[in-house]
Amino acid sequence: MKEIVNNSPGDVASPIIDYLRISLVDRCNFQCLYCMPEGAKLDYVLQQDLLTNDELLHLLKHVFIPNGFTRFRLTGGEPLLRPGVVDVVARIRQLPQTQDLSLSTNAFLLSNLAQDLFDAGLNRVNISLDSLDAKTFGQIVGDGNAQTRWTQVWEGIKAAHRVGFDPLKLNVVVIPGVNDHEVLDLAALTLERRWHVRFIEFMPIGNGELFGDRGWVPSEEIRQKIRDRWGLNESEVLGNGPADVFQIPGAQGTLGFISQMSECFCDRCNRMRLSADGWLRPCLLNETGQLDLKTALRAGVPTSVLRERVSELLQLKPEINYKGRESGTSSGLYGRTMSQIGG
Ligand code: SAM
Ligand code: SF4
């Protein structure tokens, strides 16, 4: 089957959209402050509405790959809650066009799964780690024994490192008055380890109230703290995603800054998102243009038609991104949390 190049060669301004973030489940075993508001009653997808493994593989093989997608990230919710996640990894890895396969996790269940995921062909893991202090960590991730939770996550990180995931990325959402006092400690993790610590600006998705109360910390403010302590260089290792990459002089690892609040990077966006119930979303911050692929698939719409619909959406994506930014609308834009969309 002929592969479609999803943007025209002369169209230098639009990046090639070849990266699909796949949510395997919208549920989570944590309830992070910034992701799921306390006491929130989220409408979880019913079991029968989740894309099955076969449906997912069918869509990848016959709809997404022919449209030029070659890089896949499994996310959620918490993707390690999905029964058979190792099998999903193995099956996606076996598709010859898969160039990169990664997973975002809170690492709570990772220590027992890291080796199997690695053996199944997972290339990389990104782990959320918002604090090195068990108490603060507990305050962020919610109910449960904070020390046990933190220790189990740290065990998961160590297991990922041990089995060979490299680079290992740690994601930190920085919230004023909650964990911003820890940025130097977190940055220091890169001094002796080849880890990549990424500071993410808190977005008004998921917990608008907390966002309204606390606001967010601009990446430049964090960089300045790090610069004052150790110095900071732009890294020679270029990221291929939204992060700007830096390095403390002499450090083994690198630091990334995802600055979607202070510096819109919509014009670099190379991704789409597939929710656990099969909705394809072209832009995180704009609900326009979403396609319900699961319902269409189950209704027997021919694969060739689905492929064509996705191809059309790819052409529209730059316009959808731009319009969302231009209008600055917030109503409806953040109707679902990151855990529901597939962050
Ligand atoms: N459970 C996995 C995890 O925590 O890595 C994967 C899903 S989580 C929704 C994916 C990413 O979204 C995490 O790095 C998380 O920190 C980020 N995220 C969630 N809500 C956010 C918000 N309001 N602002 C910025 N990042 C957010
Ligand atoms: Fe769960 Fe990840 Fe959201 Fe935290 S950020 S509540 S771990 S989905």
Side-chain angles (χ1 to χ4, degrees), residues 185-200:
D185 295 336
L186 287 155
L189 292 174
T190 66
L191 295 173
E192 307 291 336
R193 303 170 176 91
R194 269 174 51 87
W195 289 1
H196 183 55
V197 174
R198 306 196 308 172
F199 295 103
I200 303 175

Side-chain angles (χ1 to χ4, degrees), residues 34-35 75-78 104-105 128 171 173 201-203 205 338:
Y34 51 76
C35 182
T75 180
E78 176 45 45
S104 290
T105 174
S128 289
N171 287 338
V173 178
E201 287 176 352
F202 179 26
M203 287 191 277
I205 300 182
M338 288 285 257

Side-chain angles (χ1 to χ4, degrees), residues 22-55:
I22 303 165
S23 174
L24 291 183
V25 59
D26 59 342
R27 288 166 197 267
C28 190
N29 41 4
F30 285 0
Q31 193 166 6
C32 298
L33 273 184
Y34 51 76
C35 182
M36 299 184 178
E38 200 180 327
K41 290 269 172 292
L42 300 177
D43 292 327
Y44 292 117
V45 173
L46 298 174
Q47 181 69 28
Q48 67 265 27
D49 290 328
L50 290 174
L51 277 179
T52 65
N53 292 358
D54 286 346
E55 286 169 337

Side-chain angles (χ1 to χ4, degrees), residues 113-127:
L113 283 169
Q115 187 69 58
D116 288 347
L117 290 166
F118 189 79
D119 293 345
L122 187 70
N123 299 115
R124 298 180 296 115
V125 283
N126 286 11
I127 297 171

Side-chain angles (χ1 to χ4, degrees), residues 19-22 71-75 89 93 98 100-104 121-126:
Y19 176 37
L20 185 67
R21 294 178 74 100
I22 303 165
R71 301 186 301 124
F72 306 107
R73 171 171 297 277
L74 304 177
T75 180
V89 166
R93 171 44 67 209
T98 299
D100 187 49
L101 180 56
S102 55
L103 176 130
S104 290
L122 187 70
N123 299 115
R124 298 180 296 115
V125 283
N126 286 11

